[in-house]
Structures are given as structure tokens and as C-alpha cells.
Amino acid sequence: MKYSAWVAVAVAVLLALMGSTYVVREGQVAMVLNLGRVARTGIDPGLHFKWPLVETAMVFDQRLQVLDAEPERYLTSERKDVSVDFFAVGMIEDERAFYRATGGDESIAIARLAPIIKDSLRNEINARTLKEIVSGNRSDIIDSQLAAINKGAETVGVAIVDLRIKQIDLPTDSQVITDVYRRMRAQRHEVASRLRAEGAEQAQTVRAQADKQRAVILAEAERDAQRLRGEGDAEATAIYAEAAQKDPGFYTFQRSLEAYRKSFEDGNGVIVLDRDDAFLQYLGSDR
């Protein structure tokens, strides 16, 4: 009996020791509840003791956490509908406030923080145009609202260290997409019309220059041709004159043959002349 009693006592002591210790790892922070009320907070990493059965240790991860949320739809200053997908990076800064606000449940913390972030983004997006939101610097949207977001996050015991916009879309069921596409088509048509007009103007200028150069080249070629023909005619006349001086009879005979050839070259020519006409002197009988 005594041995069994000592075993029971040893087991009870062991269980008491096990229930009175807890470990806080690196990157964590702990707080101790005494009968449900906060007794100690800000407990650093290490091995710590508490009263068994009376006190309970709550350990929280104090590292940076990504708080993701569903895309939210907002209206711009032009009453244009946009869908904004974002995420926040935060950490537990006050474990006492975090426990009181959420009971230590991170999903409750995310549900409490999401409206705070969305409302802050709504205020900023409502004050900007669609062009400023889509093509502007997104950091400007975040930086101007981060302080207000952290002021609301203090009630949850969380500090938001960064907020990023992942994507800005135009909802598929919104008239904005149709308006944007229509504006893009109008802009492209305007650019195409301007380019076509500039191309037609350049083509007309090139054609005018080409026509001018063509006219100049043809005029110069005709001038050179006339000069060469004149020089050729002069040289031919000089040759004919020189030939006529050397043998006038042969020259007359040669010229007559050329006249006969030209007169009858088509085979259908008819010439009516007197028998004694000088033109026929080389066509008569040689007897």
C-alpha cells in the first residue's frame, strides 16, 4: 500500500510540474491568464513557470503574417466601377488587446481588420480618377492611408507594416469595360487616321519630287538628243557635200536610188509622170 501511495504521489507531482511549465519559442510572445483574467503579458522566449490548474499560458506568433482578403469593388471619382485585390502584412503588437478583441483566434482578427483596410482604401479610391488608379503610383494610395489603417488596427492589437495592391481589374459585368474599349478604339482610329494623313502627305511630296525629277531628266535628255541629232545631221550633210564634190554623177545616182526605194518600199506605190521626167532617168532601158 505504501508503495502504491508513493507512486500516486510521484505521478501527481510529475503532472503538476508538467502543468506548471511552458515554452515560448523564438518569434513568439506569451501571456498568462489567471482564472481567465490577464495576469502577465510580454513574456519573452524561453522556459517559464505558471501555477497549475489556476493559470493558463497563451502563446502568440509575433512574426510578420500575410493577411489576405477577397477582391473588393470600389467607385472612382468618376463613378467608375473597379475591383481591387490587395493583401496586408501585419504582426501582433499588443497581445493583451489581441486576446481581448479576438480571444486569440487569428481568423477573427482577419475578419476585424478587413473592413478597416477596405474602408481606408475606399476613401482613397473614391477621390481618384480611373486613370490615376490604374496608371498612377499605387504606393501613393497606400502611404496616405497606412496611418489611418494602423489607428483602427490598434483596437485588435495588430500593427500593419505594409499594404500592397496586387491587381486592379475592371469588373466583367460593368459598363466600364465597354466604355474603356470604346475609348481605346476611338483613340486607335484617331492615331490611324493621323498616320494615314501623314503618309498620304509624304507620298504626295515624294510623287511631286519624283515627277519634278522625271521632267528635269526628260528635258535634259531631249536637249542632249536634239543636240546630238543636230550634230549628226550636220556631219551627214558635210559627208554628203563632200561626196557630191568628189563624184557628182555617182551622188546623183545614189540619191535617185534612195528616192526610188522610199517611193516603192510598201509595194503598192503608184507614180504618174511623163516619160521624159528627170526622176525616171535611171529607170529607162540601158540599151
Side-chain angles (χ1 to χ4, degrees):
M1 284 298 292
K2 291 184 178 181
Y3 180 76
S4 299
W6 280 108
V7 171
V9 171
V11 171
V13 171
L14 181 60
L15 291 176
L17 289 175
M18 292 177 61
S20 64
T21 60
Y22 62 96
V23 176
V24 181
R25 302 184 184 279
E26 192 68 31
Q28 295 179 335
V29 66
M31 62 180 294
V32 175
L33 303 178
N34 190 324
L35 298 179
R37 294 187 302 176
V38 178
R40 298 186 298 279
T41 60
I43 301 173
D44 296 329
L47 178 63
H48 301 278
F49 296 91
K50 62 182 179 64
W51 292 108
L53 302 178
V54 178
E55 293 184 334
T56 304
M58 301 288 296
V59 181
F60 304 101
D61 194 342
Q62 208 173 24
R63 295 172 297 181
L64 294 176
Q65 302 288 333
V66 176
L67 311 177
D68 213 346
E70 292 296 326
E72 186 74 7
R73 297 177 68 162
Y74 300 100
L75 291 177
T76 66
S77 61
E78 310 159 301
R79 309 300 296 175
K80 302 293 185 180
D81 196 10
V82 293
S83 176
V84 180
D85 190 6
F86 64 90
F87 68 91
V89 179
M91 58 179 294
I92 298 176
E93 189 175 50
D94 186 349
E95 63 275 12
R96 183 193 295 265
F98 182 81
Y99 175 75
R100 288 177 175 175
T102 66
D105 192 340
E106 293 184 0
S107 61
I108 296 177
I110 294 175
R112 293 278 301 273
L113 288 171
I116 297 173
I117 298 173
K118 291 179 180 180
D119 290 342
S120 297
L121 288 177
R122 180 177 292 106
N123 295 333
E124 191 66 25
I125 292 175
N126 290 162
R128 295 174 181 265
T129 64
L130 179 62
K131 182 178 181 180
E132 292 173 342
I133 294 171
V134 174
S135 60
N137 189 354
R138 297 181 182 181
S139 298
D140 295 340
I141 301 176
I142 302 304
D143 295 342
S144 59
Q145 294 297 321
L146 196 57
I149 292 173
N150 274 313
K151 187 174 181 180
E154 287 179 358
T155 59
V156 192
V158 175
I160 302 298
V161 299
D162 197 6
L163 179 64
R164 294 295 176 186
I165 295 178
K166 294 190 292 185
Q167 193 171 3
I168 298 177
D169 288 327
L170 301 176
T172 55
D173 59 345
S174 174
Q175 183 65 24
V176 178
I177 293 182
T178 304
D179 295 340
V180 170
Y181 286 161
R182 185 183 299 112
R183 188 180 303 113
M184 290 173 62
R185 283 195 295 268
Q187 292 175 350
R188 295 300 180 269
H189 285 312
E190 180 181 356
V191 172
S193 299
R194 185 175 70 252
L195 292 176
R196 281 194 292 267
E198 293 175 355
E201 181 181 358
Q202 293 177 0
Q204 186 175 1
T205 302
V206 170
R207 281 194 294 267
Q209 293 176 352
D211 292 341
K212 179 181 178 182
Q213 292 177 357
R214 176 177 176 273
V216 171
I217 292 172
L218 290 176
E220 292 177 350
E222 182 64 24
R223 180 197 63 195
D224 295 340
Q226 291 289 349
R227 179 174 55 79
L228 293 175
R229 280 195 294 268
E231 293 175 354
D233 292 341
E235 187 175 354
T237 302
I239 293 173
Y240 285 142
E242 184 180 356
Q245 290 176 2
K246 289 183 179 180
D247 190 347
F250 177 78
Y251 178 73
T252 302
F253 175 73
Q254 178 70 22
R255 296 289 297 203
S256 297
L257 291 180
E258 292 179 358
Y260 296 155
R261 187 185 302 110
K262 291 182 180 180
S263 299
F264 302 106
E265 63 182 354
D266 60 353
N268 297 319
V270 177
I271 300 176
V272 180
L273 296 171
D274 293 336
R275 290 175 60 88
D276 297 331
D277 191 282
F279 184 72
L280 302 176
Q281 58 178 331
Y282 294 107
L283 294 178
S285 176
D286 57 350
R287 291 180 291 178

